[in-house]
Amino acid sequence: MIRLIVDSTFGISKKYATDNNIEVVRLKMILGDEVFEEGFEDTWADFYEKMKVSKKFPTTSQPSPQDFINAINKIYSEDPDAEILILTISNALSGTINSATIAANSFEGKRIVAHDSRQAATCGRMLTEEVVEHIKAGISFDDLLALLPKIESSLAIQFVPDSMDALKRGGRIGTLGATLANILKIKPLFKFADGKLTIQKKVLGLTKAITDAITLLPKKLKKLYICYIYDKVNVPKIAEKLKQILGLKNVEEVGLEPVFGVHVGIGAIGLASLAEY
């Protein structure tokens, strides 16, 4: 049987993990003297509330190889013959894949593959959902590994930060550019796909940024989520634009996990999409 291990940045729910026998290995956030495990969504609010009022910039920490070894051992205690696929956040954002690879290589004679998903946030969740569906349909381990790049190349997340402060402090954008954007109310439309962060457009105002994000979506969508980082105040705007432009109603809203929130900032909104593949 194929079993999955994902890291906590994939943002899957506790129920989904339990229902599909998925092990979740947690990243950590450090804020001052406090260390928070990312965990599942029902634990995120405490960290976000403290992040909102803290004058210190939070950082993140990847899991250790032992964290993955523990997850692997748990699976083998339940199914000694399991074939295990470990999916991790993009190596461009975290070294989590390195810990996963060390763990996988420590088990001789077992079929364990540690795989850099090249994804971030909700795209990791969407990848997991696709993989689970293929497993339920009876795909072989080798065929699943061959299919992964095709699914991954069909995923992308576009997002508009509420301010540029977190991206500036994290070194993702220059100080001058961040300051000017904040002062002039310029809204860069970012895209993360295939392990790369790019700026698709720079526009004046949130409404224009949302409109552009929607018009840049793939023509043939298989799945779409509205994303937000803790604060949902602008989610209705993006929902209304989806209805106006694409005729889409009741698009699911997904809160983004704290590791992504640390680097992008509270209040960001966006769209995670999976194109037909």
Side-chain angles (χ1 to χ4, degrees):
M1 181 179 179
I2 301 173
R3 291 286 300 272
L4 294 180
I5 299 173
V6 302
D7 69 56
S8 56
T9 68
F10 283 45
I12 65 172
S13 70
K14 185 183 295 185
K15 184 179 187 304
Y16 187 84
T18 301
D19 289 348
N20 295 285
N21 294 316
I22 301 171
E23 297 300 316
V24 178
V25 175
R26 302 179 178 193
L27 277 75
K28 295 180 176 66
M29 297 79 63
I30 300 96
L31 185 59
D33 296 327
E34 291 190 84
V35 178
F36 302 79
E37 283 195 338
E38 188 167 47
F40 295 104
E41 189 171 7
D42 59 352
T43 68
W44 297 347
D46 182 42
F47 171 76
Y48 274 130
E49 284 298 318
K50 291 181 178 179
M51 177 179 162
K52 281 170 64 174
V53 299
S54 177
K55 295 181 180 179
K56 296 180 179 179
F57 180 58
T59 56
T60 58
S61 175
Q62 70 192 50
S64 69
Q66 188 62 49
D67 292 327
F68 283 100
I69 288 172
N70 293 343
I72 293 169
N73 280 329
K74 184 175 185 300
I75 289 175
Y76 284 140
S77 72
E78 299 166 354
D79 181 0
D81 298 319
E83 298 172 301
I84 300 176
L85 174 61
I86 307 174
L87 298 173
T88 71
I89 184 176
S90 173
N91 191 43
L93 301 175
S94 169
T96 298
I97 184 63
N98 298 324
S99 293
T101 300
I102 291 170
N105 291 341
S106 68
F107 289 80
E108 293 184 7
K110 296 288 189 178
R111 292 214 73 186
I112 309 173
V113 173
H115 180 79
D116 173 9
S117 74
R118 299 183 297 154
Q119 307 303 318
T122 307
C123 285
R125 167 180 162 166
M126 297 169 96
L127 173 62
T128 304
E129 291 168 348
E130 290 300 298
V131 168
V132 165
E133 290 306 309
H134 285 291
I135 292 173
K136 288 180 177 179
I139 195 170
S140 71
F141 195 63
D142 288 332
D143 286 345
L144 178 59
L145 295 178
L147 182 61
L148 282 175
K150 191 172 184 179
I151 303 173
E152 291 161 353
S153 64
S154 303
L155 288 161
I157 183 168
Q158 302 176 79
F159 62 92
V160 183
D162 185 56
S163 82
M164 303 299 291
D165 294 339
L167 288 159
K168 177 187 70 177
R169 287 182 296 185
R172 304 287 177 186
I173 194 167
T175 300
L176 179 59
T179 301
L180 287 174
N182 284 337
I183 291 173
L184 299 175
K185 305 300 181 185
I186 294 172
K187 291 292 184 184
L189 175 58
F190 289 91
K191 179 181 179 180
F192 191 88
D194 291 322
K196 296 177 183 178
L197 178 67
T198 57
I199 298 178
Q200 291 187 292
K201 287 191 174 184
K202 296 179 182 179
V203 298
L204 286 173
L206 180 62
T207 300
K208 179 68 167 101
I210 291 172
T211 300
D212 286 351
I214 293 170
T215 58
L216 290 169
L217 286 170
K219 299 302 180 187
K220 294 184 178 180
L221 281 170
K222 183 174 185 184
K223 189 176 290 186
L224 181 69
Y225 291 134
I226 297 172
C227 307
Y228 64 93
I229 298 180
Y230 198 53
D231 188 345
K232 296 180 67 173
V233 66
N234 289 314
V235 167
K237 295 181 182 179
I238 202 166
E240 181 60 28
K241 282 294 180 182
L242 282 170
K243 182 179 177 182
Q244 291 176 1
I245 298 172
L246 298 181
L248 298 177
K249 302 177 182 179
N250 302 317
V251 177
E252 185 173 345
E253 301 166 5
V254 177
L256 297 184
E257 75 291 339
V259 165
F260 197 72
V262 163
H263 296 292
V264 179
I266 290 171
I269 58 170
L271 294 166
S273 62
L274 173 65
E276 294 285 354
Y277 60 88

